[in-house]
Amino acid sequence: MIPTKGNQPTLFAQLKALPWPEIPLGDRRRDTGHGRRETRTVKAITVHTPGGIGFPHAQQAIRIIRTRTTGAKTSRETTYFTVSLPAGQAQPADLQDWAHREWHIENRLHHVRDVTFREDLHHARTGTGPAVPAALRNTSIGYHRTNGEANIARATRRANRRPHDLITAVTSTYPTTQ
């Protein structure tokens, strides 16, 4: 599943222009938690036909609408995806699960990288410049998650105040089996 956003304007416009009102609802989920109610609806259409969308190997186009209500505030977000699997191998309920997992990854990793570590503000753009700090950030996130930390920002602040704990963790030797 490939999310399509504004950075792909032609494909985004093609997906948005599909006859979504005529397509039957494929799947609907309702969840509550974290002080909000959320409804996600999925519609999918086969696009791998002559005159379909201009994206290689796309078999289906998907539209997911998320409606969130927190207190008195309601927001609505529409997201478009393409998928290379035909409808027989990727039903709307499957697509819903896959998209939810993608958002879970986005929230657990990319959001932490963007907000806690301010990765988008990093100025290295060429060569190995972006890869080295990204590897260090991923190592830091992995280290804290392995130690059971749910709040990476708080764990990072604590680690900044106690660098000897990290040095000990990295340099300690573990017993080996013979």
Side-chain angles (χ1 to χ4, degrees):
M1 260 179 91
I2 300 172
T4 304
K5 300 179 182 179
N7 62 348
Q8 299 170 317
T10 303
L11 179 59
F12 184 81
Q14 289 176 331
L15 293 174
K16 191 173 179 180
L18 290 170
W20 295 111
E22 301 166 21
I23 300 167
L25 182 65
D27 190 49
R28 173 179 282 142
R29 308 261 173 99
R30 291 186 171 99
D31 293 316
T32 58
H34 305 286
R36 66 177 176 247
R37 289 174 293 156
E38 183 174 88
T39 301
R40 294 182 307 278
T41 59
V42 176
K43 289 185 175 187
I45 183 172
T46 298
V47 293
H48 186 69
T49 59
I53 62 171
F55 194 74
H57 310 293
Q59 295 280 326
Q60 294 185 77
I62 297 102
R63 182 183 80 174
I64 299 178
I65 297 176
R66 293 191 298 175
T67 306
R68 288 185 177 159
T69 303
T70 307
K73 182 181 175 188
T74 298
S75 65
R76 180 179 169 143
E77 177 185 21
T78 303
T79 310
Y80 299 97
F81 296 86
T82 57
V83 66
S84 61
L85 295 172
Q89 295 178 8
Q91 295 293 311
D94 299 325
L95 299 168
Q96 174 93 269
D97 290 337
W98 296 340
H100 193 68
R101 288 185 195 134
E102 167 68 23
W103 289 323
H104 182 72
I105 291 168
E106 177 69 28
N107 290 336
R108 289 208 20 114
L109 178 62
H110 299 294
H111 180 75
V112 170
R113 288 170 59 173
D114 292 343
V115 174
T116 303
F117 293 107
R118 299 184 193 114
E119 187 172 63
D120 290 344
L121 297 177
H122 197 272
H123 294 289
R125 302 280 187 253
T126 59
T128 58
V132 172
L136 293 171
R137 286 188 284 269
N138 286 340
T139 301
S140 174
I141 293 167
Y143 173 80
H144 292 310
R145 293 250 189 253
T146 300
N147 287 315
E149 297 288 350
N151 187 325
I152 301 302
R154 182 174 51 226
T156 301
R157 287 189 300 271
R158 186 173 48 249
N160 286 341
R161 290 188 304 268
R162 300 177 53 93
H164 60 279
D165 289 349
L166 294 173
I167 293 168
T168 301
V170 171
T171 59
S172 65
T173 57
Y174 296 97
T176 58
T177 58
Q178 293 180 351

